[in-house]
Amino acid sequence: MKKDDCIFCKLANGDIPTNSIYEDEDFKVILDMGPATKGHALILPKDHADNLFELPDETAGKAMILAKKLAKHMMEVLDCDGLNVVQNNGEAAGQTVMHYHLHLIPRYKDDNQHILWNPTKPSTEELQETCRKLKQ
């Protein structure tokens, strides 16, 4: 289902022109208008889900399979040195558009982009407590 006030719904469903590199019945893949690197693309589901938690399992699986297919193609065609697959959920995690999407970011040696974090140093006890809480 489309959400009328969602810019990514409009892009994914052809209401706004895009630089589309792939499309099927479930997804449209477009080049990012503010790319981190050459070839930076967004995998957009045509049906709206705000984030990963609202995305149907079947769509999530299809998105990752598509990401793998396109990543391989990008590596071959763009001759990049690596590739990031990035997906943010919530403002604190860097999500700026509340429509689930995957970033495919080709990486090039010395591209001056950094998708990193500062490692922390939890104690053994902290790690064990977190493990206990998360274990299913």
Side-chain angles (χ1 to χ4, degrees):
M1 172 188 293
K2 249 171 57 168
K3 188 174 176 186
D4 291 337
D5 63 346
C6 175
I7 186 76
F8 277 9
C9 282
K10 292 176 182 179
L11 293 168
N13 289 284
D15 298 335
I16 298 173
T18 63
N19 289 304
S20 176
I21 62 171
Y22 176 87
E23 185 169 6
D24 64 24
E25 64 185 30
D26 299 311
F27 300 96
K28 183 178 264 193
V29 183
I30 65 172
L31 292 179
D32 194 300
M33 293 295 292
T37 62
K38 178 180 160 187
H40 179 170
L42 303 175
I43 297 177
L44 305 174
K46 291 183 177 181
D47 287 336
H48 185 84
D50 279 353
N51 52 46
L52 179 65
F53 312 113
E54 293 184 4
L55 193 68
D57 290 349
E58 183 179 349
T59 306
K62 287 180 179 180
M64 191 53 68
I65 291 167
L66 180 56
K68 179 181 175 185
K69 174 183 171 178
L70 292 173
K72 183 178 182 210
H73 180 69
M74 288 175 153
M75 292 288 292
E76 293 169 358
V77 172
L78 297 175
D79 197 31
C80 50
D81 301 305
L83 190 130
N84 291 113
V85 178
V86 178
Q87 202 280 309
N88 304 319
N89 293 282
E91 200 173 315
Q95 185 178 11
T96 57
V97 179
M98 299 306 152
H99 179 113
Y100 172 89
H101 57 285
L102 278 172
H103 292 262
L104 298 179
I105 306 172
R107 298 303 303 273
Y108 305 90
K109 186 177 176 177
D110 300 322
D111 64 18
N112 293 316
Q113 293 294 341
H114 304 282
I115 301 173
L116 303 173
W117 53 89
N118 295 319
T120 61
K121 295 183 181 183
S123 69
T124 300
E125 294 78 20
E126 287 174 298
L127 285 173
Q128 289 172 344
E129 177 62 14
T130 301
C131 183
R132 184 190 65 71
K133 287 179 178 179
L134 293 173
K135 199 170 232 176
Q136 294 187 11

